[in-house]
Amino acid sequence: MASVVETYLHRIQSACTPMDAGTLADYIPQLAAVDPDRFGVSVVVHDGHVYSVGDSTIEFTIQSISKALTYALALRERGFDDVDAQIGVEPSGEAFNEISVDHRTRRPRNPMINAGAITATALLLQRPHDDEGTRDDSGTAVDEAFALILEFYSGCAGRHLTMDDEVYRSEMATGSRNRAIAYMLESFGVFPSDPEAAVDLYVRQCSVTVTSDDLAAIGSTLANGGVNPRTGRRMLDTAVTRRVLSVMTTCGMYDGAGDWVTTVGLPAKSGVGGGILAVLPGQLGIGVYSPRLDEHGNSVRGVEACRHLSDDLGLHMFNVARESRVTIRSTYDGHELDLGAGRSEVERAYLRAHRHRVRVLELQGDLTFSGAESVVRRVESLRPDADVILIDLTRVGVIDDVSRRFIVGLRATLLADDTEWVIVDPDGVVDAGARQTARSAAADAPVSSMAEAIERAEDILLKRAADRTA
Ligand code: GLU
């Protein structure tokens, strides 16, 4: 049976699939050759667990999403001072391939437009500590810098990534505009490398292929302060990660960035290949793939899917008004519980032998998507060894709507598997939702104390034993 989170993703997929507005990017001829109906949505949560639906393992070219990553790599390799001397951090409000710079400083306004991104690749081609300012523009330098880029992207994704040679060739053959940008920057006199070499490297990075699962994994690495939660490998330090997320927030979604921040509220970067990478700092990464684009160059279904994820799962980064990561305070089985009073000797003997079939989870804190997701997954893993799951919400402060729905949805998953639940909920935090869907409200309505819960769990065990012998 699909987990509660997967059920949500399927619902989002069904809501967005009928959207067939938008067009494929065709200024790079090879991009127009993809199947326009592909649609994949992936989420990687704080501990690296992957949820995905649809075409989440179909490869497409990363295109402009690479800008965020190479900017991060340039910061890591060259340091903030060198990078900031060449690339600004102000939103431009212009199209991604506008031939423009800040009039005063003559720097590209930010690393998410082509001028800034091509400067970031040029910085990777600049040999460090070269006082003469000598440039190494040989093919070897481009190969070496690209190997570093691929290694870095792969480390963030947690799998070996490669480049689509046809897309690369297709864009190299039609990339006059990017060459124009690079030569314009060079004409100002401080461009760090040969313009042709920088464009070559930039087009190679745009042609790296990823899946929506990869984008979500990369997003989770950024969410996790630069450490890939699946591999434990540190790819970036926290200062670089914070900088990249900041620039993604203000400049990541082409000239639609303001609308994006207000409605979706997640640092993100999209590409004309149809991908969107979004990040909820501290919590999760999202990857979406659907190649039809809107007038800004963002995936139509991708934007809609992210809107749904943000709204339905309460992921807007400014939602979090207080520290709200719920923790599973402890999990244990019924061996540690007192036997309830008032049982016969036979019942007590039976309960003593079967108490381990009751699994207890004590939660504390505020319950929002991330905490609820961990709880649901923990319960699902305990389910095969339990007749009764007892969840103690006594120490939970606030529970948001999505978490309430998750907890209620969990009940349906448990029942389908013939596992009962008992909820200790003295303040009624989950009460309303639970009542609505309860098969029999009286039998499994929340109780208000652990003593009552234990008694009910024991009743369930005894009833199951009686049913089996009947
Ligand atoms: N390779 C593309 C270009 O610079 C990337 C475009 C994009 O995804 O925005 O034209």
Side-chain angles (χ1 to χ4, degrees), residues 86-120:
Q86 297 274 350
I87 310 170
V89 290
E90 294 301 331
S92 72
E94 291 171 328
F96 70 98
N97 58 1
E98 201 56 44
I99 304 188
S100 78
V101 291
D102 183 303
H103 295 304
R104 201 175 43 82
T105 61
R106 295 199 145 188
R107 285 180 315 180
R109 289 203 173 82
N110 68 67
M112 302 296 157
I113 54 172
N114 286 18
I118 293 170
T119 305

Side-chain angles (χ1 to χ4, degrees), residues 27-28 63-64 67 96 114 171 178 202 206 254 271-272:
Y27 73 101
I28 302 171
Q63 297 299 338
S64 272
K67 289 169 172 153
F96 70 98
N114 286 18
E171 185 167 5
N178 284 331
Y202 169 70
C206 287
Y254 302 114
V272 295

Side-chain angles (χ1 to χ4, degrees), residues 272-315:
V272 295
I276 299 182
L277 161 89
V279 180
L280 180 54
Q283 299 198 26
L284 50 87
I286 295 170
V288 188
Y289 171 52
S290 174
R292 287 198 202 86
L293 308 178
D294 65 16
E295 72 278 15
H296 299 299
N298 296 320
S299 164
V300 173
R301 283 178 184 156
V303 168
E304 195 54 24
C306 289
R307 269 201 192 123
H308 272 283
L309 282 164
S310 173
D311 275 357
D312 301 352
L313 303 182
L315 304 184

